[in-house]
Amino acid sequence: MNKLRKIFFVVASGGHETDSHYYNTIEKKRTIEEAEKFLSPQEISMLRNKYHEGPFAVWGAVSGSGNIRTWDSMEQGDYVLIYKSGRIIFAAEVALKTLNPKMAEYLWRKNTFGKTWEYMYFLVNTQEVSVPISILNSYLGYSENYFPRGFMAIDQEKANNLLLKYGDVLSALKKMEKGEKLEETDNKEKQEEIILDDKI
């Protein structure tokens, strides 16, 4: 069964705590050995397959109806774009997601309300970028001054249009970062990028 890829915004502008989390589990990454303490054998097998025994990047969301709904819709192969201070600073694809409060507390502790970022997702094909949100907005069809709030999915029609016209989001962001104008892809590439196969 084929599925449409989705694109998610994650805002990382929460001050020192968010900066610390970003450094510890996105920039610095974590090890399979750490994950073995918290994940099921099946999840560990998936991580080993995706990361070839190497370190992984991981992020999470606290409970809340909006966050849970967004997380529930997330699937392997979907794109995640991290936003901070007017720019997309990081992009990746979802490799695995898991609801795991114990691992989240180990990685990030708890916030002032006693919650942890237990709605977790592991990221693969990671890349750091620096793309003004206004540039991405022009390709997505959002207004120039639009900016994401919290953890949210990009409107699916806008995501589809971006993928249909320009293909892979990660390579598109690299071109935007260099100031290059995106060129529309051919029909075959369009179909490959908008459709997410179960095997991914």
Side-chain angles (χ1 to χ4, degrees):
M1 179 182 176
N2 291 326
K3 310 178 186 76
L4 295 176
R5 286 181 184 264
K6 294 177 289 295
I7 306 173
F8 294 88
F9 277 137
V10 176
V11 174
S13 301
H16 174 73
E17 184 178 60
T18 304
D19 289 344
S20 176
H21 292 179
Y22 184 87
Y23 172 75
N24 284 327
T25 62
I26 296 290
E27 288 187 1
K28 183 181 172 185
K29 301 186 178 179
R30 311 306 291 221
T31 66
I32 297 290
E33 287 71 27
E34 287 178 289
E36 285 179 323
K37 303 171 188 175
F38 304 99
L39 301 182
S40 70
Q42 182 182 9
E43 289 171 328
I44 290 296
S45 177
M46 292 177 69
L47 287 186
R48 289 188 187 281
N49 180 55
K50 293 289 185 182
Y51 296 101
H52 308 289
E53 301 292 333
F56 57 83
V58 61
W59 201 245
V62 297
S63 60
S65 58
N67 282 351
I68 294 172
R69 186 166 54 250
T70 300
W71 182 86
D72 279 340
S73 70
M74 181 180 276
E75 298 176 276
Q76 285 185 25
D78 287 340
Y79 294 104
V80 171
L81 310 181
I82 295 184
Y83 167 89
K84 181 179 181 180
S85 304
R87 292 178 175 269
I88 301 298
I89 63 169
F90 178 86
E93 294 179 61
V94 177
L96 169 72
K97 68 175 188 177
T98 181
L99 176 57
N100 196 311
K102 289 185 178 180
M103 186 173 185
E105 187 173 353
Y106 166 78
L107 293 173
W108 304 301
R109 301 184 181 178
K110 293 183 178 181
N111 64 17
T112 54
F113 301 101
K115 291 185 176 184
T116 190
W117 293 262
E118 61 200 68
Y119 290 86
M120 299 175 60
Y121 42 100
F122 298 79
L123 301 168
V124 70
N125 297 330
T126 62
Q127 64 180 31
E128 293 184 2
V129 294
S130 181
V131 176
I133 189 66
S134 58
I135 293 177
L136 179 60
N137 286 343
S138 67
Y139 289 104
L140 285 171
Y142 285 119
S143 64
E144 183 179 352
N145 59 358
Y146 170 83
F147 62 92
R149 295 169 177 81
F151 174 38
M152 57 173 285
I154 291 175
D155 177 81
Q156 191 60 51
E157 184 176 352
K158 294 182 185 301
N160 292 349
N161 287 338
L162 179 71
L163 292 168
L164 279 168
K165 288 183 178 180
Y166 307 112
D168 175 53
V169 171
L170 304 182
S171 59
L173 285 168
K174 278 298 185 185
K175 289 180 181 178
M176 292 181 206
E177 184 178 36
K178 294 175 183 176
E180 299 176 8
K181 185 176 181 180
L182 300 188
E183 296 181 0
E184 294 192 18
T185 59
D186 63 36
N187 289 332
K188 183 179 179 180
E189 289 174 329
K190 291 175 186 177
Q191 292 302 318
E192 288 176 350
E193 292 304 332
I194 196 170
I195 296 297
L196 172 60
D197 187 273
D198 276 344
K199 296 178 182 177
I200 292 178

